[in-house]
Amino acid sequence: VVLVIADEMQESVSLSKDATATANTQQDGSGNAENAVDGDCETVWHSAWSGFNVSADNPAILTVDLSEEMALTGFQYQNRPSGTNGIIQKFRYVVGTEYDAETNTITDGQVSDVITSTSQNPGAWMQVNFDGEKTVRYIQIIVEQGIGSFASIAEVQGLRTLKVTNEATLTDTEIKLGQTTVLVPETAEGTVVKGLVWTSSDPSIVSVTQSGVISGLNVGSATITITNAAGLKASCVVTVTEEKAPVDTARLAKEGR
């Protein structure tokens, strides 16, 4: 079996707790725009149930303020978790760093061509990839067609592309007998390692899981090694020390010691 490791991968970027969202239409209460950035996929932004029919001439527009500029290579939105009304079929988008609330426009961005969603199932994520990395504070999703002439989004997240590297280091570590902790490979900024296999030179002293969780089972030392199919190899020494009983300083003071 040959394991092929891709040169890069996409990572979702959770929004800051200070991120906000506004819209030109919403169902007050259950469909507020803020629901699209609350980190809860069970809540949704939904266009007004009556008096607003979504179309190319009358789009529903969701504007997300990330609260800070971020280097992104795209974004994704999640469809409502159940039901189909409002699931987006066609949309445009704009991203940038300057927003004019009076005109509801991102002034330094360019409106994309119409995109037909390829993810129209409940709960599915629709990804949008930029041509390269962009500095983004505002993401505006302009819905021109949605099921039932509505628009709905559960969550919005940023995306960034990480380079997959075959270089990593592990730092020598000391843990106490019975202690469990996680070893995290160190890599260059903007890179990630994939397909790691973790091994211990002496599992009776230090055990390790395939997610890098180590446990001190006996006093002594063991070498933890990571490898992958791309040729990466790194190791560190984990030393397990015996747990020492805490010194009762109050008792010693009482005894005059």
Coordinates of all heavy atoms in Angstrom, one line a residue, residues 129-225:
N129 N -12.9 29.2 -2.8 CA -11.4 29.4 -2.8 C -11.1 30.7 -3.6 O -11.5 30.9 -4.7 CB -10.7 28.2 -3.4 CG -11.0 27.0 -2.6 OD1 -10.8 27.0 -1.4 ND2 -11.4 25.9 -3.2
F130 N -10.2 31.5 -3.0 CA -9.7 32.7 -3.7 C -8.6 32.3 -4.6 O -8.0 31.3 -4.5 CB -9.2 33.8 -2.7 CG -10.2 34.1 -1.6 CD1 -9.7 34.5 -0.3 CD2 -11.6 34.1 -1.8 CE1 -10.6 34.8 0.7 CE2 -12.4 34.5 -0.8 CZ -12.0 34.8 0.4
D131 N -8.2 33.3 -5.5 CA -7.0 33.1 -6.3 C -5.8 33.6 -5.5 O -5.4 34.8 -5.6 CB -7.2 33.9 -7.6 CG -8.2 33.4 -8.6 OD1 -8.4 32.1 -8.5 OD2 -8.8 34.1 -9.3
G132 N -5.4 32.8 -4.6 CA -4.3 33.2 -3.8 C -4.8 33.7 -2.4 O -6.0 33.8 -2.2
E133 N -3.8 34.1 -1.6 CA -4.2 34.6 -0.3 C -4.6 36.0 -0.3 O -4.0 36.9 -1.0 CB -2.9 34.5 0.6 CG -3.2 34.8 2.1 CD -1.9 34.6 3.0 OE1 -1.7 33.4 3.4 OE2 -1.1 35.5 3.1
K134 N -5.6 36.4 0.5 CA -6.1 37.7 0.6 C -6.2 38.2 2.0 O -6.4 37.4 2.9 CB -7.5 37.9 -0.1 CG -7.6 37.6 -1.6 CD -9.0 37.7 -2.1 CE -9.1 37.4 -3.6 NZ -8.4 38.5 -4.4
T135 N -6.0 39.5 2.2 CA -6.2 40.1 3.6 C -7.7 40.4 3.7 O -8.2 41.3 2.9 CB -5.3 41.3 3.8 OG1 -3.9 40.9 3.6 CG2 -5.5 41.9 5.2
V136 N -8.4 39.8 4.6 CA -9.8 40.0 4.7 C -10.3 40.4 6.1 O -9.8 39.8 7.1 CB -10.5 38.6 4.3 CG1 -12.0 38.7 4.5 CG2 -10.1 38.2 2.9
R137 N -11.2 41.3 6.2 CA -11.9 41.6 7.4 C -13.4 41.4 7.2 O -14.1 40.9 8.1 CB -11.6 43.0 7.9 CG -12.5 43.4 9.1 CD -12.2 44.5 9.9 NE -13.2 44.8 10.9 CZ -13.0 45.6 11.9 NH1 -11.9 46.4 12.0 NH2 -14.0 45.8 12.8
Y138 N -13.9 41.7 6.0 CA -15.3 41.6 5.7 C -15.6 40.5 4.7 O -14.8 40.4 3.7 CB -15.9 42.9 5.3 CG -15.7 44.0 6.3 CD1 -14.7 44.9 6.3 CD2 -16.7 44.1 7.4 CE1 -14.5 45.9 7.2 CE2 -16.5 45.1 8.3 CZ -15.5 46.0 8.2 OH -15.3 47.0 9.2
I139 N -16.6 39.7 4.9 CA -17.0 38.7 3.9 C -18.5 39.0 3.7 O -19.3 39.0 4.6 CB -16.9 37.3 4.4 CG1 -15.4 36.9 4.7 CG2 -17.5 36.3 3.4 CD1 -15.2 35.6 5.3
Q140 N -18.9 39.2 2.4 CA -20.3 39.5 2.1 C -20.7 38.4 1.1 O -20.2 38.2 0.0 CB -20.4 40.9 1.4 CG -21.8 41.4 1.4 CD -21.9 42.9 1.0 OE1 -21.6 43.3 -0.1 NE2 -22.2 43.7 2.0
I141 N -21.8 37.7 1.5 CA -22.4 36.7 0.7 C -23.7 37.2 0.1 O -24.6 37.6 0.9 CB -22.6 35.4 1.5 CG1 -21.3 34.9 2.1 CG2 -23.3 34.3 0.7 CD1 -21.4 33.8 3.0
I142 N -23.8 37.3 -1.2 CA -25.0 37.9 -1.9 C -25.8 36.8 -2.5 O -25.4 36.2 -3.5 CB -24.5 38.9 -2.9 CG1 -23.6 39.9 -2.3 CG2 -25.7 39.6 -3.6 CD1 -22.8 40.7 -3.3
V143 N -26.9 36.4 -1.9 CA -27.7 35.3 -2.3 C -28.7 35.7 -3.3 O -29.5 36.6 -3.1 CB -28.4 34.6 -1.1 CG1 -29.2 33.4 -1.6 CG2 -27.5 34.3 0.0
E144 N -28.6 35.1 -4.6 CA -29.5 35.5 -5.7 C -30.6 34.5 -5.9 O -31.6 34.7 -6.6 CB -28.7 35.7 -6.9 CG -27.7 36.9 -6.8 CD -27.1 37.3 -8.1 OE1 -27.2 36.6 -9.1 OE2 -26.4 38.4 -8.1
Q145 N -30.3 33.2 -5.4 CA -31.4 32.2 -5.5 C -31.2 31.2 -4.4 O -30.1 30.7 -4.1 CB -31.2 31.5 -6.9 CG -32.3 30.4 -7.1 CD -32.1 29.7 -8.5 OE1 -31.5 30.3 -9.4 NE2 -32.5 28.5 -8.6
G146 N -32.3 30.9 -3.7 CA -32.4 30.0 -2.6 C -33.7 29.2 -2.7 O -34.7 29.6 -3.3
I147 N -33.7 28.0 -2.2 CA -34.9 27.2 -2.2 C -36.0 27.9 -1.5 O -35.9 28.4 -0.4 CB -34.6 25.8 -1.5 CG1 -33.5 25.0 -2.3 CG2 -35.9 25.0 -1.4 CD1 -33.1 23.7 -1.7
G148 N -37.2 27.9 -2.2 CA -38.3 28.6 -1.7 C -38.3 30.1 -1.8 O -39.1 30.8 -1.1
S149 N -37.3 30.6 -2.5 CA -37.1 32.1 -2.6 C -36.7 32.7 -1.3 O -37.0 33.8 -1.0 CB -38.3 32.8 -3.1 OG -38.6 32.4 -4.5
F150 N -36.0 31.9 -0.5 CA -35.4 32.3 0.8 C -33.9 32.2 0.8 O -33.3 31.6 -0.2 CB -36.0 31.5 2.0 CG -37.5 31.5 2.2 CD1 -38.3 30.5 1.9 CD2 -38.0 32.7 2.7 CE1 -39.6 30.5 2.1 CE2 -39.4 32.8 2.9 CZ -40.2 31.7 2.6
A151 N -33.3 32.7 1.8 CA -31.8 32.5 2.0 C -31.6 32.1 3.5 O -32.2 32.6 4.4 CB -31.1 33.8 1.7
S152 N -30.6 31.2 3.7 CA -30.3 30.7 5.0 C -28.9 30.2 5.1 O -28.4 29.6 4.2 CB -31.3 29.6 5.4 OG -31.0 29.1 6.7
I153 N -28.2 30.5 6.2 CA -26.9 30.0 6.5 C -26.7 29.7 8.0 O -27.2 30.5 8.8 CB -25.8 31.1 6.1 CG1 -25.7 31.1 4.5 CG2 -24.4 30.7 6.7 CD1 -24.7 32.2 4.1
A154 N -26.1 28.6 8.3 CA -25.9 28.2 9.7 C -24.7 28.8 10.3 O -24.7 29.4 11.3 CB -25.9 26.7 9.9
E155 N -23.5 28.7 9.5 CA -22.2 29.2 10.0 C -21.4 29.6 8.9 O -21.5 29.1 7.8 CB -21.5 28.1 10.8 CG -22.0 27.8 12.2 CD -22.0 29.0 13.1 OE1 -20.9 29.6 13.2 OE2 -23.0 29.3 13.7
V156 N -20.5 30.6 9.2 CA -19.5 31.0 8.2 C -18.1 30.9 8.9 O -18.0 31.2 10.0 CB -19.7 32.5 7.8 CG1 -18.6 33.0 6.9 CG2 -21.1 32.7 7.1
Q157 N -17.2 30.4 8.1 CA -15.8 30.2 8.6 C -14.8 30.7 7.5 O -15.1 30.6 6.3 CB -15.5 28.8 9.0 CG -16.3 28.2 10.2 CD -15.9 26.8 10.4 OE1 -15.4 26.1 9.6 NE2 -16.1 26.3 11.6
G158 N -13.6 31.1 8.0 CA -12.6 31.4 7.0 C -11.8 30.1 6.7 O -12.0 29.1 7.3
L159 N -11.1 30.2 5.6 CA -10.3 29.1 5.1 C -8.8 29.6 4.9 O -8.7 30.7 4.4 CB -10.8 28.4 3.9 CG -12.1 27.6 3.9 CD1 -12.5 27.2 2.5 CD2 -12.0 26.4 4.8
R160 N -7.9 28.8 5.2 CA -6.5 29.1 4.8 C -5.8 27.8 4.4 O -6.1 26.7 4.9 CB -5.7 29.8 5.9 CG -5.6 28.9 7.2 CD -4.8 29.7 8.3 NE -4.8 29.0 9.5 CZ -4.4 29.5 10.7 NH1 -3.9 30.7 10.7 NH2 -4.4 28.7 11.8
T161 N -4.9 27.9 3.5 CA -4.1 26.8 2.9 C -2.8 26.7 3.6 O -2.1 27.6 3.8 CB -3.9 27.0 1.4 OG1 -5.2 27.0 0.8 CG2 -3.1 25.8 0.9
L162 N -2.6 25.5 4.2 CA -1.3 25.2 4.8 C -0.4 24.3 3.9 O -1.0 23.3 3.3 CB -1.5 24.5 6.2 CG -2.3 25.3 7.2 CD1 -2.5 24.5 8.5 CD2 -1.6 26.6 7.6
K163 N 0.8 24.6 3.9 CA 1.8 23.7 3.2 C 2.1 22.5 4.0 O 2.3 22.6 5.2 CB 3.1 24.4 2.9 CG 2.9 25.6 1.9 CD 2.5 25.2 0.5 CE 2.4 26.4 -0.4 NZ 2.0 26.0 -1.8
V164 N 2.0 21.3 3.4 CA 2.4 20.1 4.2 C 3.9 19.9 4.1 O 4.5 19.9 3.0 CB 1.7 18.8 3.6 CG1 2.1 17.6 4.3 CG2 0.2 19.0 3.7
T165 N 4.5 19.8 5.2 CA 6.0 19.8 5.3 C 6.5 18.4 5.7 O 5.7 17.6 6.4 CB 6.5 20.8 6.3 OG1 8.0 20.7 6.3 CG2 6.0 20.6 7.7
N166 N 7.7 18.0 5.4 CA 8.3 16.8 5.9 C 9.4 17.1 6.9 O 10.3 16.3 7.0 CB 8.8 15.9 4.7 CG 9.9 16.6 3.9 OD1 10.2 17.8 4.2 ND2 10.5 15.9 2.9
E167 N 9.3 18.3 7.5 CA 10.3 18.6 8.5 C 9.6 19.0 9.8 O 8.7 19.9 9.8 CB 11.2 19.8 8.0 CG 12.0 19.5 6.8 CD 12.9 20.6 6.4 OE1 12.9 21.7 7.1 OE2 13.7 20.5 5.4
A168 N 10.0 18.4 10.9 CA 9.4 18.7 12.2 C 10.4 18.3 13.3 O 11.3 17.6 13.1 CB 8.1 17.9 12.4
T169 N 10.1 18.9 14.5 CA 11.0 18.6 15.6 C 10.1 18.2 16.8 O 9.0 18.7 16.9 CB 11.9 19.7 16.0 OG1 11.2 20.9 16.3 CG2 12.9 20.0 14.8
L170 N 10.6 17.4 17.7 CA 10.0 17.1 19.0 C 11.0 17.5 20.1 O 12.2 17.4 19.9 CB 9.7 15.6 19.1 CG 8.6 15.0 18.2 CD1 8.5 13.5 18.3 CD2 7.2 15.6 18.5
T171 N 10.5 18.0 21.2 CA 11.3 18.5 22.3 C 11.3 17.5 23.4 O 10.3 16.9 23.8 CB 10.7 19.9 22.8 OG1 10.7 20.8 21.7 CG2 11.6 20.4 23.9
D172 N 12.5 17.2 23.9 CA 12.7 16.3 25.0 C 11.8 16.8 26.2 O 11.7 18.0 26.4 CB 14.1 16.3 25.5 CG 15.1 15.6 24.5 OD1 14.6 15.0 23.6 OD2 16.3 15.7 24.7
T173 N 11.2 15.8 26.8 CA 10.1 16.1 27.8 C 10.3 15.3 29.1 O 10.7 14.1 29.0 CB 8.7 15.9 27.2 OG1 8.6 16.6 26.0 CG2 7.6 16.3 28.2
E174 N 10.0 15.9 30.2 CA 10.0 15.2 31.5 C 8.5 15.1 32.1 O 7.9 16.2 32.1 CB 10.9 15.8 32.5 CG 11.0 15.1 33.8 CD 12.1 15.7 34.7 OE1 13.3 15.7 34.4 OE2 11.6 16.2 35.8
I175 N 8.1 13.9 32.4 CA 6.7 13.8 33.0 C 6.8 13.0 34.3 O 7.8 12.3 34.5 CB 5.7 13.2 32.0 CG1 6.2 11.8 31.6 CG2 5.5 14.1 30.8 CD1 5.1 11.1 30.7
K176 N 5.8 13.1 35.1 CA 5.8 12.3 36.3 C 5.1 10.9 36.1 O 4.4 10.8 35.2 CB 5.0 13.1 37.4 CG 5.8 14.3 37.9 CD 5.0 15.0 39.0 CE 5.8 16.1 39.7 NZ 6.2 17.2 38.8
L177 N 5.5 10.0 37.0 CA 4.9 8.7 36.9 C 3.3 8.8 37.0 O 2.8 9.5 37.9 CB 5.4 7.8 38.1 CG 4.9 6.4 38.1 CD1 5.4 5.6 36.9 CD2 5.4 5.7 39.4
G178 N 2.6 8.2 36.0 CA 1.2 8.3 36.0 C 0.6 9.5 35.2 O -0.6 9.6 35.0
Q179 N 1.5 10.4 34.8 CA 1.1 11.6 34.1 C 0.8 11.4 32.6 O 1.5 10.5 32.0 CB 2.1 12.7 34.3 CG 1.7 14.1 33.6 CD 2.8 15.1 33.7 OE1 3.8 14.9 34.4 NE2 2.6 16.2 33.0
T180 N -0.2 12.0 32.1 CA -0.5 12.0 30.7 C -0.4 13.4 30.1 O -1.0 14.3 30.7 CB -1.9 11.3 30.4 OG1 -1.9 10.0 30.9 CG2 -2.3 11.3 28.9
T181 N 0.2 13.5 28.9 CA 0.2 14.8 28.2 C 0.3 14.5 26.7 O 0.4 13.4 26.3 CB 1.4 15.6 28.7 OG1 1.3 16.9 28.2 CG2 2.8 15.0 28.3
V182 N 0.3 15.6 25.9 CA 0.3 15.5 24.5 C 1.6 16.1 23.9 O 2.0 17.2 24.3 CB -0.9 16.2 23.8 CG1 -0.8 16.1 22.3 CG2 -2.2 15.7 24.4
L183 N 2.3 15.4 23.1 CA 3.5 15.9 22.4 C 3.0 16.5 21.1 O 2.2 15.9 20.3 CB 4.5 14.8 22.0 CG 5.2 14.1 23.2 CD1 6.1 13.1 22.7 CD2 6.0 15.2 24.0
V184 N 3.4 17.7 20.8 CA 3.0 18.5 19.6 C 4.3 18.7 18.7 O 5.2 19.4 19.1 CB 2.3 19.8 19.9 CG1 1.9 20.5 18.6 CG2 1.1 19.6 20.8
P185 N 4.3 18.1 17.5 CA 5.5 18.4 16.6 C 5.6 19.9 16.3 O 4.5 20.5 16.0 CB 5.2 17.6 15.4 CG 4.2 16.5 15.9 CD 3.4 17.2 16.9
E186 N 6.8 20.4 16.3 CA 7.0 21.8 15.9 C 7.3 21.9 14.4 O 8.2 21.2 14.0 CB 8.1 22.4 16.8 CG 7.8 22.4 18.3 CD 9.0 22.9 19.1 OE1 9.9 23.5 18.5 OE2 9.0 22.6 20.3
T187 N 6.6 22.8 13.7 CA 6.9 23.0 12.3 C 7.0 24.4 12.0 O 6.7 25.3 12.8 CB 5.8 22.4 11.4 OG1 4.6 23.1 11.7 CG2 5.6 20.9 11.7
A188 N 7.5 24.8 10.8 CA 7.6 26.2 10.4 C 6.2 26.8 10.3 O 5.2 26.1 10.0 CB 8.3 26.3 9.0
E189 N 6.1 28.1 10.5 CA 4.8 28.8 10.5 C 4.1 28.6 9.1 O 4.8 28.6 8.1 CB 5.0 30.3 10.7 CG 3.7 31.0 10.9 CD 3.9 32.5 11.2 OE1 5.1 32.9 11.5 OE2 2.9 33.2 11.2
G190 N 2.8 28.3 9.2 CA 2.1 28.1 7.9 C 2.2 26.7 7.3 O 1.8 26.5 6.2
T191 N 2.8 25.8 8.1 CA 2.9 24.4 7.6 C 2.3 23.5 8.6 O 2.0 23.8 9.7 CB 4.4 24.0 7.4 OG1 5.1 24.0 8.7 CG2 5.1 25.0 6.5
V192 N 2.1 22.2 8.1 CA 1.5 21.2 8.9 C 2.1 19.9 8.5 O 2.6 19.7 7.4 CB 0.0 21.2 8.7 CG1 -0.4 20.8 7.3 CG2 -0.7 20.3 9.8
V193 N 2.1 18.9 9.4 CA 2.6 17.5 9.1 C 1.3 16.6 9.0 O 0.4 16.8 9.8 CB 3.6 17.0 10.1 CG1 4.9 17.7 10.0 CG2 3.1 17.2 11.5
K194 N 1.4 15.6 8.1 CA 0.3 14.7 8.0 C 0.8 13.3 7.9 O 2.0 13.0 7.7 CB -0.4 15.0 6.6 CG -1.0 16.4 6.5 CD -2.2 16.6 7.5 CE -3.4 15.8 7.1 NZ -4.5 16.0 8.1
G195 N -0.1 12.3 8.2 CA 0.2 10.9 8.1 C 1.2 10.4 9.1 O 2.0 9.5 8.8
L196 N 1.2 11.0 10.3 CA 2.3 10.6 11.3 C 2.0 9.2 11.9 O 0.9 8.9 12.2 CB 2.3 11.6 12.4 CG 2.8 13.0 12.0 CD1 2.9 13.9 13.2 CD2 4.2 13.0 11.3
V197 N 3.1 8.5 12.1 CA 3.0 7.3 12.8 C 3.9 7.5 14.1 O 5.1 7.8 14.0 CB 3.6 6.1 12.0 CG1 3.6 4.8 12.9 CG2 2.7 5.9 10.8
W198 N 3.3 7.2 15.3 CA 4.0 7.5 16.5 C 4.5 6.1 17.1 O 3.7 5.2 17.1 CB 3.1 8.1 17.5 CG 2.7 9.5 17.2 CD1 1.8 9.9 16.3 CD2 3.2 10.7 17.7 NE1 1.6 11.3 16.2 CE2 2.5 11.8 17.1 CE3 4.2 11.0 18.7 CZ2 2.8 13.2 17.4 CZ3 4.4 12.4 19.0 CH2 3.7 13.4 18.4
T199 N 5.7 6.0 17.6 CA 6.2 4.8 18.2 C 7.0 5.2 19.5 O 7.6 6.3 19.6 CB 7.1 4.0 17.3 OG1 8.2 4.8 16.9 CG2 6.3 3.5 16.1
S200 N 7.1 4.2 20.4 CA 7.9 4.4 21.6 C 8.9 3.3 21.7 O 8.6 2.1 21.4 CB 7.0 4.3 22.9 OG 7.8 4.2 24.1
S201 N 10.1 3.7 22.0 CA 11.2 2.6 22.1 C 11.0 1.7 23.3 O 11.5 0.6 23.2 CB 12.6 3.3 22.3 OG 12.7 4.0 23.5
D202 N 10.2 2.1 24.3 CA 9.9 1.2 25.4 C 8.5 1.5 25.9 O 8.3 2.4 26.8 CB 10.9 1.4 26.5 CG 10.8 0.3 27.6 OD1 9.8 -0.4 27.7 OD2 11.8 0.1 28.3
P203 N 7.5 0.9 25.3 CA 6.1 1.2 25.7 C 5.8 0.8 27.2 O 4.8 1.3 27.7 CB 5.3 0.3 24.8 CG 6.2 0.0 23.6 CD 7.6 -0.1 24.2
S204 N 6.7 0.0 27.9 CA 6.4 -0.3 29.3 C 6.8 0.9 30.2 O 6.4 1.0 31.3 CB 7.3 -1.5 29.7 OG 8.7 -1.2 29.7
I205 N 7.6 1.9 29.6 CA 7.9 3.1 30.4 C 7.1 4.2 29.9 O 6.5 4.9 30.8 CB 9.4 3.4 30.2 CG1 10.3 2.3 30.9 CG2 9.8 4.8 30.8 CD1 11.8 2.5 30.7
V206 N 7.0 4.5 28.6 CA 6.2 5.5 28.1 C 5.4 5.0 26.9 O 5.9 4.5 25.9 CB 7.1 6.7 27.5 CG1 6.2 7.8 27.0 CG2 8.0 7.3 28.6
S207 N 4.1 5.1 27.1 CA 3.2 4.6 25.9 C 2.8 5.9 25.1 O 2.9 7.0 25.6 CB 1.9 4.0 26.5 OG 1.1 4.9 27.2
V208 N 2.5 5.7 23.9 CA 2.1 6.8 23.0 C 1.0 6.3 22.1 O 1.0 5.2 21.5 CB 3.3 7.3 22.2 CG1 3.9 6.3 21.2 CG2 2.9 8.6 21.4
T209 N 0.0 7.2 21.9 CA -1.1 6.9 21.0 C -0.8 7.5 19.6 O 0.2 8.3 19.5 CB -2.4 7.5 21.5 OG1 -2.4 8.9 21.4 CG2 -2.7 7.1 22.9
Q210 N -1.6 7.2 18.6 CA -1.4 7.7 17.3 C -1.8 9.2 17.1 O -1.7 9.8 16.0 CB -2.1 6.8 16.2 CG -1.4 5.5 16.1 CD 0.1 5.5 15.9 OE1 0.6 6.2 15.0 NE2 0.9 4.9 16.8
S211 N -2.2 9.8 18.2 CA -2.5 11.2 18.2 C -1.5 12.0 19.1 O -1.6 13.1 19.4 CB -3.9 11.5 18.7 OG -4.1 10.9 19.9
G212 N -0.4 11.3 19.5 CA 0.7 11.9 20.2 C 0.5 12.0 21.7 O 1.2 12.7 22.4
V213 N -0.5 11.3 22.3 CA -0.7 11.3 23.7 C 0.2 10.4 24.4 O 0.2 9.2 24.1 CB -2.2 11.0 24.1 CG1 -2.4 11.0 25.6 CG2 -3.2 11.9 23.4
I214 N 1.1 10.8 25.3 CA 2.0 10.0 26.0 C 1.6 9.8 27.5 O 1.0 10.7 28.1 CB 3.4 10.5 26.0 CG1 3.5 12.0 26.6 CG2 4.0 10.5 24.5 CD1 4.9 12.5 26.7
S215 N 1.9 8.7 28.1 CA 1.6 8.4 29.5 C 2.9 7.8 30.1 O 3.5 6.9 29.5 CB 0.5 7.4 29.6 OG -0.7 7.9 29.0
G216 N 3.2 8.2 31.3 CA 4.3 7.7 32.1 C 3.9 6.5 32.9 O 3.2 6.6 33.9
L217 N 4.4 5.3 32.5 CA 3.9 4.1 33.1 C 4.9 3.5 34.1 O 4.5 2.9 35.1 CB 3.7 3.0 32.0 CG 2.7 3.4 30.9 CD1 2.6 2.2 29.9 CD2 1.4 3.8 31.5
N218 N 6.2 3.8 33.9 CA 7.2 3.4 34.9 C 8.4 4.4 34.9 O 8.5 5.1 33.9 CB 7.8 2.0 34.5 CG 6.8 0.9 35.0 OD1 6.7 0.6 36.2 ND2 6.2 0.2 34.0
V219 N 9.1 4.5 36.0 CA 10.2 5.4 36.0 C 11.3 5.0 35.0 O 11.6 3.8 34.9 CB 10.8 5.4 37.5 CG1 12.1 6.3 37.5 CG2 9.8 6.0 38.4
G220 N 11.8 5.9 34.3 CA 12.9 5.6 33.3 C 12.7 6.6 32.1 O 12.1 7.6 32.2
S221 N 13.3 6.2 31.0 CA 13.3 7.0 29.8 C 12.9 6.2 28.6 O 13.3 5.0 28.5 CB 14.6 7.7 29.5 OG 14.9 8.6 30.6
A222 N 12.3 6.8 27.6 CA 12.0 6.1 26.3 C 12.1 7.2 25.2 O 11.8 8.4 25.4 CB 10.6 5.5 26.3
T223 N 12.4 6.7 24.0 CA 12.5 7.6 22.8 C 11.2 7.5 22.1 O 10.7 6.4 21.7 CB 13.6 7.3 21.9 OG1 14.9 7.4 22.7 CG2 13.7 8.2 20.7
I224 N 10.5 8.7 21.9 CA 9.3 8.8 21.1 C 9.7 9.2 19.7 O 10.4 10.2 19.5 CB 8.3 9.7 21.7 CG1 7.9 9.3 23.1 CG2 7.0 9.8 20.8 CD1 7.3 7.9 23.2
T225 N 9.2 8.5 18.6 CA 9.6 8.8 17.3 C 8.4 9.0 16.4 O 7.4 8.3 16.6 CB 10.5 7.7 16.7 OG1 11.6 7.5 17.5 CG2 10.9 8.0 15.2

